[in-house]
Amino acid sequence: MSQTAMERKTVNLEEIELELLLEGIYQYYGYDFRNYARASLKRRIRKVLEGEGLSQISALQNLVLHDSAAIQRMLLGITVNVTSMFRDPSFFLAFRQQVVPLLSTYPYIRLWHAGCSEGQEVYAMAILLQEAGLYDRCRIYATDRNERVLQRAKAGIYPLGLMQQYTQLYLQSGGQHSFSNYYTAAYDSAIFRASLRENILFSQHDLASDGSFNEFNIILCRNVLIYFDPVLQQRVHRLFHESLCRFGILALGRQESLRLSPYAPDYEALVKSEKIFRRLS
Amino acid sequence: MALRLTSGSQPALIVIGASLGGLMALRELLQQLRPDFSIPIAIVQHRHRDLQQQLVASMQQGVRLLLREVEDKDELRPGQIYLAPADYHLLVEADCLLLSIDPPVSYARPSIDVLFESAADAYGERLIGVILTGANQDGAIGAAAIKAKGGLVLVQEPATAESAVMPAAAIAQTCVDAVLSLSALAAQLNEFCEVCEF
Ligand SMILES: C[S@@+](CC[C@H](N)C(=O)[O-])C[C@H]1O[C@@H](n2cnc3c(N)ncnc32)[C@H](O)[C@@H]1O
């Protein structure tokens, strides 16, 4: 670290407390948040402090290490599961126009959706693949660290109130059908068609600690890496590199890149503006 | 009155928050910065979903310093202006910029408070916050956080703002260091940059 960088880092007690908290949680419970991006994590931990009526992170450490209900509350409080169907419709449009033609020559397509949250993005992709006539050839592995959101993803039931917005986004993403064909309305819920789920396997996988489990033609990981620091990002990029076959597709979030990936030279940008890359070697 | 950081040192970062009327105000402010302005600037401008994509291009017009829509973990570089992308929060760490899609804060994503609070954490006394025109109260809590950590807060004179609500809220929330017109704000920022050359 350069002299100026040292100076800029004023010794900060809260940082030290945060470090100790994350280390304690890792050693005792095995959940590894040590390499999550600090500024956004700190914000959420302060929220947890507020909720618990505490003012110091060291007090939270004491609480969560001795109280298994408190650690569960904290985990819920610090995980971000915000998601949507067809978030960034231009991405899905580019996928339809430029990735689908490449896939249509494949006899069999394996897709890994890493950090799938409550599943909206997975169902959106399933709809797209059905419309492209590729779904029957696909096997989709949708994973997340968080068991609770995976349960929701498996159910495929979302608030009916969101459907108007999703319909708009679906149309902007190049959807040609009537979006309401894909779900059944029941009370306040939209229940998505079971046929969309047929080839999806939901399972728990932690990008911070688990290894590669298959070889894929496509890996989608959007708005997950922004929560990781450069060290953890490199780990995940290695994992993706190990799990992606030659000429496989890697799709990241709109504001993410391969800049911190040691494997960047092995990829070419297929659709630069949408962060869709293809592995060349 | 010459404003100085309490630390006496040069500012490491300037953060700016703007909402309704912000595009015009920001352009006017940024156009008046010296061409060799070297302090990095990070901006949250609330935007309407419709005008998401063209914001960088329209704000760049007439501005000599280079504007960039932030990508995850961008490093802070002298003389660069960083703009929060649509639908992401922008946060600051000691040496880079972060994005998150955490839920909106007071209906805003990006949120000015989120940017200001994280910047205050990372830079403390070496931070300058600027609140411009806007029709909500975003940024008031962030401005207080900057003051609490020893940084400076400058606010656009409410009477000169297209919408006075946001500057007035910041002034009501915390003891700001100066209330200025856009040209006076630009002159003040230029002066900070002179300090940093010696
Ligand atoms: C903000 S959501 C993004 C959801 C979706 N991909 C999107 O862009 O709309 C981030 C997801 O990453 C998951 N996540 C966070 N850390 C993880 C890890 N270490 N391993 C696997 N998933 C993780 C979270 O549980 C959350 O569901």
Side-chain angles (χ1 to χ4, degrees):
Chain A
M1 196 184 292
S2 73
Q3 187 66 36
T4 48
M6 279 289 271
E7 281 167 11
R8 247 196 278 144
K9 271 208 172 130
T10 43
V11 181
N12 180 326
L13 186 56
E14 201 185 29
E15 297 282 332
I16 298 171
E17 294 183 57
L18 180 57
E19 204 82 39
L20 293 172
L21 170 72
L22 300 180
E23 189 61 39
I25 290 176
Y26 172 64
Q27 289 197 16
Y28 191 61
Y29 293 108
Y31 302 114
D32 194 353
F33 286 97
R34 295 173 303 170
N35 290 103
Y36 276 53
R38 280 304 155 84
S40 45
L41 182 61
K42 207 195 282 175
R43 243 201 111 73
R44 293 191 298 277
I45 288 193
R46 283 192 184 142
K47 269 257 183 71
V48 173
L49 282 178
E50 251 174 59
E52 299 285 354
L54 299 171
S55 54
Q56 281 158 354
I57 294 179
S58 47
L60 181 64
Q61 177 183 327
N62 189 44
L63 179 70
V64 299
L65 288 182
H66 295 282
D67 179 342
S68 57
I71 183 71
Q72 292 309 325
R73 286 199 300 275
M74 172 176 161
L75 291 176
L76 277 182
I78 63 176
T79 38
V80 186
N81 301 117
V82 177
T83 186
S84 162
M85 273 186 133
F86 301 103
R87 184 185 163 85
D88 305 323
S90 58
F91 166 80
F92 288 88
L93 187 62
F95 197 96
R96 272 182 213 271
Q97 293 175 340
Q98 306 196 47
V99 179
V100 161
L102 298 176
L103 300 178
S104 48
T105 57
Y106 291 24
Y108 193 71
I109 303 160
R110 258 198 301 267
L111 191 153
W112 179 16
H113 206 126
C116 68
S117 192
E118 296 182 350
Q120 282 94 325
E121 224 181 28
V122 191
Y123 286 96
M125 191 49 82
I127 288 172
L128 189 159
L129 292 166
Q130 269 196 356
E131 292 184 1
L134 295 174
Y135 187 77
D136 293 339
R137 279 184 260 162
C138 288
R139 189 95 185 124
I140 302 175
Y141 295 76
T143 65
D144 202 281
R145 143 190 256 178
N146 184 337
E147 186 61 47
R148 236 178 72 124
V149 295
L150 280 172
Q151 293 306 331
R152 299 231 174 111
K154 272 179 209 166
I157 300 172
Y158 305 110
L160 193 59
L162 291 172
M163 293 307 123
Q164 202 181 343
Q165 187 201 348
Y166 289 176
T167 304
Q168 283 302 316
L169 293 169
Y170 164 77
L171 292 172
Q172 287 168 28
S173 78
Q176 307 271 326
H177 298 251
S178 167
F179 186 66
S180 57
N181 284 346
Y182 292 108
Y183 62 86
T184 317
Y187 301 100
D188 290 338
S189 300
I191 304 168
F192 276 78
R193 274 203 334 227
S195 71
L196 290 170
R197 206 164 28 240
E198 244 160 43
N199 298 345
I200 306 176
L201 200 82
F202 291 98
S203 67
Q204 195 173 22
H205 180 278
D206 188 338
L207 293 166
S209 54
D210 292 332
S212 174
F213 58 95
N214 214 325
E215 199 181 52
F216 295 95
N217 306 100
I218 305 172
I219 298 177
L220 252 104
C221 184
R222 310 189 72 230
N223 300 309
V224 180
L225 292 170
I226 48 174
Y227 291 101
F228 297 170
D229 78 0
V231 174
L232 184 49
Q233 284 202 15
Q234 284 186 25
R235 177 192 200 276
V236 176
H237 279 300
R238 186 177 340 113
L239 184 61
F240 290 167
H241 194 263
E242 285 166 7
S243 311
L244 194 62
C245 64
R246 194 153 177 235
F247 300 121
I249 303 285
L250 175 64
L252 304 176
R254 194 180 78 217
Q255 304 299 130
E256 293 167 334
S257 72
L258 287 174
R259 190 171 60 84
L260 295 173
S261 166
Y263 305 96
D266 290 353
Y267 295 89
E268 69 166 0
L270 192 65
V271 189
K272 199 163 178 223
S273 58
E274 301 299 339
K275 307 299 158 62
I276 302 178
F277 303 93
R278 176 158 59 168
R279 181 169 174 184
L280 291 180
S281 53
Chain B
M1 169 194 60
L3 281 175
R4 285 271 180 283
L5 292 175
T6 37
S7 57
S9 53
Q10 58 183 61
L13 175 69
I14 297 168
V15 287
I16 304 180
S19 189
L20 183 67
L23 178 57
M24 298 295 275
L26 276 164
R27 222 192 268 156
E28 191 178 334
L29 177 72
L30 299 176
Q31 278 170 356
Q32 295 178 61
L33 295 181
R34 323 159 23 139
D36 59 347
F37 194 86
S38 60
I39 310 166
I41 301 175
I43 300 175
V44 162
Q45 159 73 58
H46 295 159
R47 33 178 144 178
H48 227 265
R49 280 180 184 270
D50 315 331
L51 117 207
Q52 290 181 351
Q53 301 316 326
Q54 317 90 313
L55 190 60
V56 173
S58 46
M59 204 180 287
Q60 182 76 66
Q61 277 170 43
V63 174
R64 284 164 295 194
L65 297 164
L66 208 60
L67 268 150
R68 172 184 167 81
E69 190 162 273
V70 174
E71 282 200 356
D72 180 45
K73 310 295 180 313
D74 268 350
E75 281 161 37
L76 285 166
R77 295 232 164 77
Q80 270 264 6
I81 305 178
Y82 300 88
L83 191 65
D87 248 346
Y88 286 84
H89 289 301
L90 173 60
L91 299 93
V92 178
E93 292 220 336
D95 39 19
C96 69
L97 295 164
L98 279 193
L99 298 172
S100 93
I101 58 167
D102 288 25
V105 175
S106 313
Y107 306 102
R109 188 173 61 199
S111 144
I112 301 168
D113 284 336
V114 169
L115 171 65
F116 280 25
E117 285 174 356
S118 65
D121 263 353
Y123 285 105
E125 296 180 345
R126 300 183 56 208
L127 178 70
I128 296 172
V130 180
I131 294 280
L132 303 178
T133 171
N136 55 72
Q137 317 227 322
D138 194 10
I141 291 171
I146 293 179
K147 288 309 299 170
K149 297 265 164 128
L152 286 183
V153 173
L154 316 178
V155 178
Q156 181 179 11
E157 165 93 72
T160 70
E162 185 175 323
S163 175
V165 180
M166 209 164 83
I171 293 166
Q173 180 86 30
T174 185
C175 188
V176 306
D177 296 279
V179 178
L180 303 166
S181 69
L182 287 174
S183 332
L185 270 175
Q188 181 62 63
L189 295 181
N190 282 330
E191 219 173 278
F192 281 121
C193 207
E194 267 162 38
V195 176
C196 67
E197 281 175 330
F198 302 108

